Amino acid sequence: QVQLAESGGGLVQAGGSLRLSCVASESISSINGNGVGWYRQAPGKQRELVAITGPYGTAIYADSVKGRFTISRDNAKNSVYLQMSSLKPEDTAVYYCTLGRFQPTINAVNYWGQGTQVTVSS
């Protein structure tokens, strides 16, 4: 089974920036699915899509993060990144790295990381 390890979470003030990283134990392409990305879950809320990126540089973002977050991937390093800027308190959540099909639905996810906490103070 593919293991996903997130890092980069922490405490940041509103308006600040943070970069999350995720490294997979094996290929994030083809056989293991070409969709790699991030979900998040805030206390008392459902887990929601943040962003996913596909095999041809395409990406899908949640409306709430468009223009503020940027997803990128490095297949050679089995890695995916999330650059977050202009952070808001409502971005506070546990962020999960995901790997699966390139579809913006939670049932497309085959593998989940353990999560990394992002806390944005006001």
Side-chain angles (χ1 to χ4, degrees), residues 38-41 46-50 62 64 90 106:
W38 301 87
Y39 275 70
R40 68 185 182 186
Q41 188 166 26
Q46 290 185 285
R47 193 167 297 188
E48 65 178 1
L49 172 72
V50 177
S64 60
E90 52 261 46
I106 199 164

Side-chain angles (χ1 to χ4, degrees), residues 8-119:
L11 176 64
V12 64
Q13 295 183 82
S17 299
L18 210 58
R19 182 169 128 118
L20 304 183
S21 298
C22 173
V23 180
S25 61
E26 56 188 89
S27 178
I28 59 172
S29 301
S30 300
I31 194 169
N32 293 316
N34 285 295
V36 61
W38 301 87
Y39 275 70
R40 68 185 182 186
Q41 188 166 26
K45 303 291 185 180
Q46 290 185 285
R47 193 167 297 188
E48 65 178 1
L49 172 72
V50 177
I52 54 171
T53 183
Y56 305 110
T58 54
I60 299 172
Y61 294 89
D63 287 342
S64 60
V65 308
K66 285 181 179 176
R68 300 189 298 119
F69 292 10
T70 301
I71 189 170
S72 61
R73 66 193 291 169
D74 187 334
N75 292 337
K77 296 180 179 179
N78 295 339
S79 299
V80 61
Y81 310 94
L82 185 68
Q83 178 65 50
M84 305 183 291
S85 61
S86 300
L87 284 161
K88 305 173 180 179
E90 52 261 46
D91 293 319
T92 296
V94 175
Y95 284 70
Y96 298 90
C97 179
T98 65
L99 174 62
R101 300 188 307 279
F102 182 50
Q103 292 179 285
T105 55
I106 199 164
N107 63 7
V109 177
N110 292 324
Y111 303 100
W112 296 86
Q114 291 185 308
T116 186
Q117 177 71 46
V118 171
T119 302

